[in-house]
Amino acid sequence: MDVLIFKTSVANRQEVNRIHPLLSSLAEIRQYNFDLEDCDKILRVVSNGVEPQTINHMLQIAGFTCEELLY
């Protein structure tokens, strides 16, 4: 399992609900969550081999910025 962490522009629960169908459509994603309390609006994704560029592209399609954070 891979854990990917992203800084996003997702600001509230309604926006998370807009993104949910996109992230849920990828079979490789096992789990994801947003930390909207964090100043970087963190998205954590647990997956089996999904590429960071895929997540970035999906959020951009939905109208949000997304940048992978390396840890």
Side-chain angles (χ1 to χ4, degrees):
M1 292 283 179
D2 299 321
V3 177
L4 303 172
I5 300 174
F6 301 90
K7 173 182 178 177
T8 74
S9 63
V10 177
N12 57 53
R13 189 56 49 199
Q14 291 80 12
E15 292 176 349
V16 171
N17 291 339
R18 278 187 20 217
I19 296 166
H20 174 73
L22 295 173
L23 295 175
S24 296
S25 70
L26 287 177
E28 297 87 2
I29 294 179
R30 299 293 175 225
Q31 178 182 1
Y32 72 89
N33 63 57
F34 282 89
D35 182 354
L36 301 177
E37 305 268 328
D38 188 281
C39 65
D40 289 331
K41 309 303 184 201
I42 296 295
L43 166 61
R44 290 179 189 87
V45 177
V46 179
S47 73
N48 281 330
V50 75
E51 295 292 325
Q53 297 87 349
T54 302
I55 303 295
N56 190 334
H57 181 70
M58 292 182 100
L59 265 70
Q60 285 182 352
I61 286 172
F64 301 99
T65 61
C66 179
E67 173 186 342
E68 182 181 17
L69 299 176
L70 302 176
Y71 59 97

